[in-house]
Amino acid sequence: MTAYLINLATLATIFGILAASLNVLIGYAGIFSIAHAVFFGLGAYAGAQLALQFIPDVLLACLAGGAISAALSLCLALPALRVRGEYFVAASLGLQMMAVTVFSEAHSLTGGHGGLVGIPPATLFGADVSAPAPFLGFALAVLAVLLLAVRLLMRGSFGRALMAIRDSESAAEAFGKDVRALKTLAVALGCAMAGVAGALFAFYMAFVNVESFTLEQSILVMAMVIIGGTATLAGPLLGVLLLLLLPAGLSFLPFIPPTQIGAVQQLIYGLAMTLLMIFRPAGIAGGRR
Amino acid sequence: MGVPFSIRGLDKKFGGLAAVQNVDLDLQEGVTTALVGPNGAGKTTLFNLATGHIIPDGGEVLLDGKSVLGQPPHHIARLGVARSFQDLRLFGRMSVRDNVRAAIEPTAWLWQPGGGVAARKREAAVDAALDRCGLTQQADARAVDLAYAERKFLSVARILATGARIWLLDEPASGLDPHSRARFVQLVRDAVAEGVTICLIEHNLDIVTELADRIAFLDRGAKLAEGAPQEILRDPKLIGIYFGEQRT
Ligand SMILES: Nc1ncnc2c1ncn2[C@@H]1O[C@H](COP(=O)(O)OP(=O)(O)OP(=O)(O)O)[C@@H](O)[C@H]1O
Ligand SMILES: [Mg+2]
């Protein structure tokens, strides 16, 4: 039971980082990307390859995952600079679809459909941290550091400039904001954090394959952010807890036959999302809109 | 007397429509110029061309005699040109105070140039702008939650706090009640007294008479006349166009 809870907590921590990273894009910069699982995946593959080929240091893997995702975030920044609203959503969908194909086909890098297996246990400066408890501790520390960084950045002039762009791009420009640079940086920051989450995920699962980086995953993370509340620190975390714990909780309910859990889950998510957007469009933590 | 801002032969077509045709305009230092003309005359487009939001088909935009043509809006803004928008474009989900802060902060990751001293100066500028615009009580309210007149004043507060020396105001007083209008007129007069050069698009001829030293009259993209308010407002032909008598 404890092992189960620690496992769940670790998964929630990793998704907490992922949701917080998407919140930088959606909540603060107003960039509605549905390709976020791509950058989660890039970080996971990068971390896994580092561990398999060189050294299974989880901190190095996080840095490598973050760096790869930040570098390739230009693929998302480019459309974000050119189009907005539903056009950008469509563009990011295209990126998501391309990435899944690349992930499935680039055998030498991603292991193709089979994925990368046998990722060695995580170490940190040579010490083994692969046991559930220390690994959870490390993941929590990463989450705390990243949340603190997001808080500092978003409460400062960088965050205000991003939110200004989100609310009116042309007015932000008229007050001297370099929209292209700011959006590019915001996308790089959000994607880098997603890459860090991906590297942690690779060690947590001990294998990675394309199934974890599909459109469905992107939509799940977006649902976490929107249900929890955009542009708040707590919102995405709340969304993660709800959407991860709900399935876990449902499996304890005796009157739902196990075969029906999936369907019941989908119904509850869908209903919750619809009701929330009607009655509390800024999300659970978002207050009034 | 200098001419900090000057437009030469500016042209802009939208498809087949000549929105701005060969317009010259000089904004003289410390002089308030009103841009007057019927709906669709090209007034807002002229502002958009001047601030780099739209690239002109031809002509020149000069700041202190140097061309800024083709420069992006944020470059032109950093040279001391501030503008308002006809539809305000407030930062809706941000607080009133953060709207003004965001307008005046140079962007940086964490640390602003100038450190604590500059930060206190900026906060003082924000406070002063909010006070002069009557928004101190609403400082923590979100921009979208403000009443109409308050929203209009917030759009002015953002500009005021920047300390810009050239203001381009697009119908800042439209729809204001008499009390707010008087406050607005006072705000503009104070700014002019502090040396700000203002160009103002305004339909209300009372406000134009109260504030403008010069009027430029625009119709169908072309500047038909420019001069002192008495001259322009007494010209029966222009007044006829303005009130739509001679439109076909
Ligand atoms: N981005 C655009 N694309 C196409 N046409 C435009 C665009 N902006 C303005 N126009 C057209 O150019 C003409 C001039 O518009 P503009 O907004 O400059 O007029 P205005 O003088 O500000 O009018 P108003 O007093 O109604 O604000 C109008 O016919 C308008 O429809
Ligand atoms: Mg207009």
Side-chain angles (χ1 to χ4, degrees), chain A residues 37-94:
Chain A
V38 172
F39 299 94
F40 184 52
L42 286 171
Y45 287 123
Q49 288 289 13
L50 183 86
L52 286 166
Q53 314 276 342
F54 303 103
I55 172 175
D57 189 285
V58 61
L59 184 60
L60 281 182
C62 285
L63 293 176
I68 293 278
S69 290
L72 288 171
S73 75
L74 281 177
C75 301
L76 192 68
L78 242 64
L81 294 179
R82 308 215 122 251
V83 292
R84 261 167 288 171
E86 59 269 42
Y87 300 105
F88 174 76
V89 173
S92 70
L93 177 63

Side-chain angles (χ1 to χ4, degrees), chain B residues 10-23 40-43 45 49 57 218-223:
Chain B
L10 221 50
D11 272 313
K12 182 68 197 180
K13 279 202 170 73
F14 291 119
L17 176 89
V20 168
Q21 311 181 52
N22 195 25
V23 171
K43 306 181 294 293
T45 304
L49 295 170
D57 299 332
L218 238 61
D219 183 38
R220 302 187 208 188
K223 190 174 85 175

Side-chain angles (χ1 to χ4, degrees), chain B residues 14 17 19 37-46 54 86 170-171 201 203:
Chain B
F14 291 119
L17 176 89
N39 292 114
K43 306 181 294 293
T44 299
T45 304
L46 194 63
I54 296 179
Q86 195 167 349
D170 198 344
E171 305 197 18
I201 297 174
H203 280 294

Side-chain angles (χ1 to χ4, degrees), chain B:
Chain B
M1 201 163 53
V3 181
F5 201 79
S6 161
I7 280 166
R8 290 275 158 267
L10 221 50
D11 272 313
K12 182 68 197 180
K13 279 202 170 73
F14 291 119
L17 176 89
V20 168
Q21 311 181 52
N22 195 25
V23 171
D24 292 333
L25 185 68
D26 283 339
L27 301 185
Q28 322 227 341
E29 198 174 338
V31 168
T32 302
T33 307
L35 217 50
V36 171
N39 292 114
K43 306 181 294 293
T44 299
T45 304
L46 194 63
F47 272 14
N48 287 335
L49 295 170
T51 56
H53 282 88
I54 296 179
I55 307 291
D57 299 332
E60 259 302 353
V61 179
L62 304 162
L63 245 176
D64 296 321
K66 284 190 224 71
S67 172
V68 293
L69 197 74
Q71 291 202 25
H74 67 274
H75 278 183
I76 295 176
R78 288 175 192 178
L79 295 171
V81 182
R83 68 168 293 182
S84 74
F85 294 87
Q86 195 167 349
D87 55 357
L88 301 185
R89 306 196 189 172
L90 302 177
F91 306 132
R93 287 162 64 192
M94 298 168 72
S95 73
V96 166
R97 173 175 290 280
D98 279 350
N99 263 265
V100 183
R101 277 183 180 148
I104 68 172
E105 276 169 338
T107 325
W109 280 90
L110 276 176
W111 291 276
Q112 292 280 326
V117 179
R120 275 188 294 280
K121 250 176 134 171
R122 276 197 306 275
E123 282 306 293
V126 172
D127 286 335
L130 291 180
D131 183 49
R132 276 167 74 175
C133 293
L135 290 169
T136 306
Q137 302 289 320
Q138 284 80 13
D140 296 320
R142 289 185 319 165
V144 283
D145 296 329
L146 294 180
Y148 179 77
E150 293 166 344
R151 296 163 54 101
K152 290 240 134 174
F153 276 109
L154 178 53
S155 76
V156 179
R158 285 197 306 201
I159 295 171
L160 181 61
T162 60
R165 59 206 168 96
I166 298 163
W167 294 9
L168 309 179
L169 303 176
D170 198 344
E171 305 197 18
S174 67
L176 288 184
D177 57 278
H179 175 77
S180 305
R181 203 184 299 154
R183 171 171 224 138
F184 170 73
V185 167
Q186 193 54 48
L187 260 173
V188 171
R189 287 199 170 133
D190 290 345
V192 170
E194 286 158 22
V196 176
T197 302
I198 293 178
C199 182
L200 154 105
I201 297 174
E202 184 51 62
H203 280 294
N204 182 323
L205 296 182
D206 291 336
I207 294 186
V208 170
T209 321
E210 270 186 275
L211 288 176
D213 305 309
R214 288 184 75 73
I215 295 181
F217 192 99
L218 238 61
D219 183 38
R220 302 187 208 188
K223 190 174 85 175
L224 294 191
E226 189 185 340
Q230 316 78 282
E231 285 171 50
I232 304 291
L233 297 179
R234 291 217 189 101
D235 186 327
K237 184 168 141 272
L238 297 179
I239 291 300
I241 292 173
Y242 187 67
F243 289 106
E245 287 164 21
Q246 302 181 357
R247 305 308 297 263
T248 44

Side-chain angles (χ1 to χ4, degrees), chain A residues 104-241:
Chain A
S104 331
E105 301 302 326
H107 287 266
S108 56
L109 294 174
T110 65
H113 271 291
L116 299 172
V117 294
I119 297 169
T123 63
L124 184 62
F125 304 121
D128 187 311
V129 290
S130 61
F135 192 77
L136 171 62
F138 178 76
L140 279 173
V142 172
L143 174 69
V145 167
L146 290 178
L147 282 182
L148 195 71
V150 167
R151 186 186 148 100
L152 269 174
L153 285 172
M154 295 308 140
R155 294 221 167 161
S157 65
F158 179 64
R160 273 191 291 277
L162 281 188
M163 290 186 275
I165 291 169
R166 173 197 70 193
D167 288 354
S168 174
E169 204 165 306
S170 53
E173 277 184 307
F175 289 102
K177 303 294 171 272
D178 186 344
V179 170
R180 300 172 73 81
L182 284 160
K183 273 190 170 180
T184 307
L185 280 175
V187 169
L189 175 69
C191 291
M193 286 172 60
V196 171
L200 287 173
F201 186 69
F203 281 105
Y204 169 78
M205 299 291 283
F207 82 98
V208 286
N209 78 354
V210 64
E211 295 304 318
S212 307
F213 315 122
T214 56
L215 177 62
E216 252 162 67
Q217 187 79 291
S218 287
I219 290 173
L220 175 68
V221 182
M222 180 175 262
M224 288 169 171
V225 174
I226 291 176
I227 288 177
T230 53
T232 61
L233 208 60
L237 300 183
L238 215 62
V240 168
L241 289 183

